[in-house]
């Protein structure tokens, strides 16, 4: 009897003997290697294995993606047929929503409500958004004025052509959506893809490959190679036949990818880290700001590029803000993401928790006041209390570096000078997002325009939507995902000049 019959479909999928998805088929790695064990971070137990793909597998996947890009059904497919394919993928995400949510919670540790539940909803929305674009990717017709050809005899048109074979390298913090955010614009523009998910939470990317197969995506158009960053990821970013790389992850690895991409000057787009300011002006709606601050700092255990980890609060509100945020943090329910009411799941791994504990210790050693939290839970799994620090300074590593954990630093300011407040926000190498809490329109717009970040939120934090561009200034990245801008990195312009 098949022991997996009694399992939840997500657990049955996780328990499978996984293979790489190359050229429309599930294949073993080309070189013998031990499969990579994958843990449930809520228990620390191994829940499954994925293949340790290497350079030869990456080469096979890139070759398949190249063939699919140049010949066969994919380049011949009409825009409306491609649109239908993306709509079918959206429907499949919804139909398999329960499996996808469950898989994300099991593999990543995120709480089912709302993160796990939202994953398939956002994925379906993303596929539909890009489905809408497929039939609207248009070039332009331009006049040319180049003697001896008169304007009436000469003109140029610009075609938007797909850039080609795209590599996608994704992180573990919101795994299914990270993969969808790369796949959907690539497919919408007619590119082909080799995806390497993070080895810490790889299952939903393999499930996405299965959904592509079920939707009828032609062989080679989407390939998934699981493996380690230093091997599979490095081979993919250096591969001479990859035209473009879309990376989401740390700024440190982003720089490695840029160097690797230099060999063939592949196009690079980067969604990197953040150290995002959360600015509470003296006229802010304090209860709303505090409630949102707790989510901003602790959603996904702070393992979130939008984490609001530097909080600047007007001195007149500071003590109440710190006290209320600490109360809110202590009231958050920590536990297995499947348990009802849980808001804080485990950290992704023992290493990640130890790294964050290192930051907490460094903060205390540097004189920061730990107001609440900061301890690991004495139970299996990689749980860590949400942590609030006060009396932090910009000299401290907890304020300067992206912790990628549930740690907020709250600092007072006592000025109305927008330049001075913006200077605090901008005292970072990052520039992903920021939020401003005020009822004053001049303050809201004045600060929004002064802050060096790709996304500034007024009276909300991190309200992203598929319709609006998202991405970083400075060392938070290159390019934008979502919104019309997100198509550009997957396209290139070809100008055709004609004389009649
Ligand atoms: P990471 O360590 O940079 O890894 C990201 C991906 O890169 C993983 O698939 C990883 O593989 C791979 N990788 C590692 N070394 C590589 C190399 N030498 N060459 C090629 N690929 C390599 O980041 P993470 O810890 O997974 O994710 C956390 C980071 O992502 C944070 O900094 C966060 O801010 C950022 N992030 C940004 C956004 C955004 O939209 N801006 C969104 C989410 C997360 P393995 O892990 O399998 O080794
Ligand atoms: Mg896992």
């Amino acid at each position: 009897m098949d022991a997996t019959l009694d399992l939840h479909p997500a657990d049955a999928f996780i328990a499978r003997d996984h293979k790489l998805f190359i050229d429309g088929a599930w294949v073993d790695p080309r070189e013998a290697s031990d499969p990579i064990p994958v843990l449930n971070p809520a228990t620390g137990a191994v829940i499954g294995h994925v293949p340790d793909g290497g350079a030869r597998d990456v080469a096979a996947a890139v070759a398949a993606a190249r063939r699919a890009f140049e010949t066969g059904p994919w380049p011949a497919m009409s825009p409306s047929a491609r649109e239908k394919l993306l709509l079918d993928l959206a429907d499949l995400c919804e139909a398999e929503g329960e499996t996808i949510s469950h898989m994300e919670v099991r593999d990543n540790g995120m709480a089912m409500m709302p993160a796990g539940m939202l994953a398939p909803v956002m994925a379906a929305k993303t596929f539909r958004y890009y489905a809408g674009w497929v039939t609207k990717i248009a070039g332009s017709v331009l006049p040319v004025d180049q003697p001896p050809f008169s304007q009436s005899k000469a003109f140029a048109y610009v075609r938007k052509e797909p850039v080609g074979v795209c590599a996608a390298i994704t992180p573990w913090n919101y795994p299914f959506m990270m993969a969808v955010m790369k796949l959907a614009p690539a497919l919408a523009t007619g590119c082909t893809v080799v995806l390497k998910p993070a080895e810490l939470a790889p299952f939903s990317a393999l499930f996405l490959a299965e959904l592509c197969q079920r939707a009828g995506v032609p062989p080679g158009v989407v390939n998934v190679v699981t493996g380690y960053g230093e091997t599979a990821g490095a081979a993919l970013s250096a591969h001479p036949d990859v035209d473009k790389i879309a990376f989401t992850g740390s700024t440190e690895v982003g720089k490695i990818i840029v160097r690797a991409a230099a060999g063939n000057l592949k196009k690079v787009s980067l969604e990197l880290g953040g150290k995002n300011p959360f600015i509470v002006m003296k006229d802010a709606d304090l209860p709303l700001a505090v409630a949102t601050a707790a989510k901003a700092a602790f959603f996904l255990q702070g393992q979130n590029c939008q984490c609001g980890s530097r909080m600047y609060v007007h001195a007149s509100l500071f003590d109440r803000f710190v006290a209320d945020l600490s109360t809110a943090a202590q009231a958050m329910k920590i536990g297995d993401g499947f348990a009802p009411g849980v808001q804080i799941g485990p950290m992704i791994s023992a290493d990640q928790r130890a790294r964050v504990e290192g930051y907490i210790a460094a903060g205390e050693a540097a004189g920061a006041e730990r107001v609440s939290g900061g301890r690991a839970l004495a139970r299996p799994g990689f749980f860590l209390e949400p942590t609030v620090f006060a009396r932090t300074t910009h000299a401290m590593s907890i304020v300067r570096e992206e912790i990628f954990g549930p740690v907020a630093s709250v600092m007072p300011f006592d000025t109305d000078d927008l330049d001075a407040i913006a200077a605090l926000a901008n005292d970072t190498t990052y520039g992903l997002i920021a939020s401003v809490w005020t009822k004053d329109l001049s303050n809201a717009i004045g600060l929004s325009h002064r802050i060096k970040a790709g996304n500034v939120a007024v009276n909300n934090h991190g309200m992203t939507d598929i319709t609006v561009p998202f991405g970083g200034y400075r060392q938070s990245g290159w390019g934008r995902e979502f919104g019309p801008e997100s198509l550009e990195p997957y396209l290139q312009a070809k100008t055709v000049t004609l004389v009649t």
Side-chain angles (χ1 to χ4, degrees):
M1 222 185 78
D2 185 350
T4 61
L5 279 180
D6 294 334
L7 293 177
H8 188 282
D11 292 324
F13 183 84
I14 286 171
R16 274 192 202 169
D17 177 16
H18 285 288
K19 296 182 188 297
L20 309 171
F21 187 64
I22 297 177
D23 210 7
W26 296 95
V27 297
D28 287 316
R30 279 155 180 75
E31 271 164 56
S33 56
D34 291 334
I36 301 172
V38 184
L39 309 183
N40 173 359
T43 61
V46 173
I47 50 171
H49 293 81
V50 294
D52 175 11
R56 287 179 56 202
D57 304 303
V58 164
V62 172
R66 173 59 59 193
R67 278 193 304 277
F69 181 73
E70 304 289 352
T71 57
W74 185 241
M77 195 180 277
S78 70
S80 53
R82 257 193 358 256
E83 175 190 10
K84 172 77 167 58
L85 204 56
L86 285 160
L87 291 173
D88 290 349
L89 279 166
D91 291 347
L92 279 169
C93 288
E94 275 174 358
E96 296 289 357
E98 155 71 18
T99 299
I100 293 164
S101 299
H102 194 103
M103 204 176 301
E104 293 290 76
V105 177
R106 187 72 88 210
D107 195 4
N108 161 281
M110 67 178 72
M112 180 61 105
M113 291 297 287
M117 287 296 281
L118 277 176
V121 176
M122 286 163 60
K125 195 176 174 190
T126 302
F127 276 124
R128 291 203 178 103
Y129 175 80
Y130 286 103
W133 271 115
V134 181
T135 54
K136 292 149 201 90
I137 295 169
S140 52
V141 180
L142 301 168
V144 285
D145 181 11
Q146 190 65 276
F149 305 111
S150 71
Q151 274 208 36
S152 60
K153 298 208 74 162
F155 72 101
Y157 63 89
V158 181
R159 283 163 55 79
K160 290 291 178 83
E161 298 187 347
V163 75
V165 173
C166 299
I169 300 182
T170 52
W172 43 259
N173 67 331
Y174 210 23
F176 191 70
M177 257 313 283
M178 291 294 158
V180 168
M181 280 162 69
K182 309 281 184 251
L183 211 62
L187 298 183
T189 49
C191 294
T192 58
V193 183
V194 180
L195 166 66
K196 194 215 80 73
E199 102 258 355
L200 288 173
F203 293 115
S204 58
L206 292 168
F207 192 64
L208 182 59
E210 186 174 297
L211 297 185
C212 288
Q213 209 175 15
R214 279 161 60 182
V217 174
V221 173
V222 173
N223 307 273
V224 179
V225 178
T226 52
Y228 295 102
E230 295 75 14
T231 49
L236 197 50
S237 38
H239 198 290
D241 204 29
V242 170
D243 298 303
K244 180 221 158 33
I245 182 156
F247 173 74
T248 298
S250 60
T251 294
E252 187 190 350
V253 175
K255 291 178 185 178
I256 295 173
I257 291 206
V258 168
R259 285 192 283 271
N264 71 331
L265 288 179
K266 54 177 71 69
K267 314 286 182 277
V268 181
S269 52
L270 303 169
E271 292 290 347
L272 306 177
K275 188 71 191 177
N276 308 302
F278 186 107
I279 302 167
V280 183
M281 305 292 281
K282 67 182 175 206
D283 67 333
D285 177 337
L286 191 66
L288 181 63
V290 169
T292 312
K295 291 184 199 145
F298 307 132
F299 181 65
L300 293 175
Q301 297 74 257
Q303 301 171 132
N304 167 16
C305 59
Q306 300 199 65
C307 176
S309 50
R310 288 188 294 142
M311 299 185 175
Y312 301 97
V313 181
H314 191 271
S316 61
L317 303 176
F318 182 76
D319 290 344
R320 261 181 69 202
F321 184 94
V322 171
D324 291 356
L325 178 63
S326 299
T327 304
Q330 284 165 306
M332 290 176 102
K333 190 168 170 191
I334 309 179
D336 188 308
F338 287 115
V342 160
Q343 294 155 291
I344 308 236
M347 307 300 294
I348 188 74
S349 65
D351 281 356
Q352 180 70 3
R353 181 172 66 178
R355 214 182 131 255
V356 177
E357 287 181 291
Y359 274 110
I360 293 169
E364 289 190 292
E369 178 194 347
R370 179 160 56 85
V371 185
S372 61
R375 287 167 311 201
L377 266 53
R379 56 175 277 183
F382 314 125
F383 296 94
L384 181 64
E385 290 171 341
T387 308
V388 178
F389 274 107
R391 297 188 203 292
T392 51
T393 71
H394 279 205
M396 296 176 183
S397 59
I398 53 170
V399 174
R400 301 212 71 77
E401 295 171 24
E402 183 185 47
I403 298 176
F404 227 56
V407 183
S409 294
V410 195
M411 292 162 277
F413 64 87
D414 198 3
T415 175
D416 297 323
D417 177 8
L418 298 187
D419 287 321
I421 299 168
L424 291 171
N426 292 335
D427 183 18
T428 172
T429 55
Y430 293 107
L432 192 59
I433 75 162
S435 64
V436 178
W437 294 81
T438 179
K439 298 190 190 95
D440 181 304
L441 202 54
S442 309
N443 283 343
I445 294 175
L447 270 180
S448 298
H449 291 198
R450 283 171 173 80
I451 290 173
K452 297 182 197 304
N455 295 69
V456 184
V458 178
N459 297 328
N460 75 87
H461 184 91
M463 185 177 64
T464 51
D465 190 32
I466 182 67
T467 56
V468 291
F470 177 81
Y473 276 33
R474 298 164 153 188
Q475 293 190 35
S476 287
W478 288 349
R480 296 291 178 266
E481 289 190 307
F482 292 173
E485 275 89 343
S486 63
L487 293 163
E488 290 303 323
Y490 294 89
L491 294 167
Q492 50 195 348
K494 175 182 285 170
T495 302
V496 181
T497 53
L498 273 97
V499 176
T500 57

